[in-house]
Amino acid sequence: MTDDLRDRLRRAFRWTDPGPPSDYLVSDRSGWWRDPVILDAVGPALAELFRSDRPTVVVSPEVTGFLLGPLVARALGVGFVEAYRAGARRAIAEEMIWAEVPADHRGDVQHLGVRRRLLAADDRVLVVDDWASTGAQARGLRTLLGDRYLGTATIVDECPPPVTAELTIRGLLTGADLDP
């Protein structure tokens, strides 16, 4: 990744204060999607983190993953598969593979699922998401994908080092890069 992309990601990001009764800041990543230079560069930059692992498909959880995943898949010349959250909409009317996602940074337990027919037994799957703070979604998708899981590419990896190593998470930025 170029220093220019790293600098643009930092400049386009901001922390917002939701006000009382909240005692924490909320990440605002919308500037990333507004900047055409970031949109052009972020897919190839994330793809480079795992290109040598030769992924055959990218899987990304909704919502932001549905934006980033196709950018990375295109840069790698592979396909893209959506990982849906259970209960977020009407049930998908075909066979799904589901996995429980351990409690995330908000303490919520979720379920993620993919269409069974879109994954082959010999696929080499790269998970792509914008942010990893606890590794919960990566862990859930690793469980779902089994031996097909290569790792997770993120824009921001702020997981503890043992989690990053366990789940093979590679990020363009760390949480410290965006400290308020």
Side-chain angles (χ1 to χ4, degrees):
M1 176 179 65
T2 66
D3 286 338
D4 179 54
L5 177 58
R6 182 183 312 276
D7 291 341
R8 288 185 90 93
L9 286 165
R10 279 191 230 141
R11 281 194 313 269
F13 176 85
R14 66 189 186 114
W15 290 103
T16 58
D17 184 347
S22 176
D23 61 352
Y24 57 87
L25 298 175
V26 176
S27 63
D28 178 0
R29 299 163 255 195
S30 61
W32 293 345
W33 321 132
R34 178 62 179 93
D35 184 329
V37 174
I38 290 175
L39 281 178
D40 188 50
V42 75
L46 288 168
E48 283 309 311
L49 297 174
F50 282 90
R51 185 175 300 282
S52 65
D53 294 290
R54 299 178 330 277
T56 60
V57 66
V58 169
V59 170
S60 296
E62 62 180 311
V63 172
T64 310
F66 286 12
L67 168 72
L68 277 177
L71 296 175
V72 176
R74 185 171 187 272
L76 289 168
V78 302
F80 170 72
V81 174
E82 310 99 322
Y84 292 98
R85 293 185 204 286
R89 73 195 45 74
R90 291 182 183 172
I92 294 173
E94 59 186 285
E95 189 176 0
M96 301 283 287
I97 307 167
W98 292 96
E100 184 174 290
V101 174
D104 64 11
H105 66 284
R106 293 183 197 101
D108 298 332
V109 175
Q110 302 173 16
H111 290 84
L112 289 173
V114 299
R115 289 176 171 92
R116 181 179 297 279
R117 69 179 173 81
L118 296 179
L119 292 177
D122 62 345
D123 269 327
R124 300 172 53 78
V125 182
L126 174 61
V127 172
V128 172
D129 207 354
D130 62 338
W131 201 294
S133 58
T134 66
Q137 289 195 127
R139 187 170 280 109
L141 287 169
R142 183 185 65 183
T143 298
L144 184 145
L145 298 165
D147 291 341
R148 296 176 284 204
Y149 176 85
L150 293 174
T152 298
T154 65
I155 295 176
V156 180
D157 172 17
E158 67 173 355
C159 291
V163 173
T164 293
E166 170 201 347
L167 298 172
T168 317
I169 297 173
R170 299 176 190 157
L172 301 178
L173 300 171
T174 67
D177 291 326
L178 299 173
D179 280 344

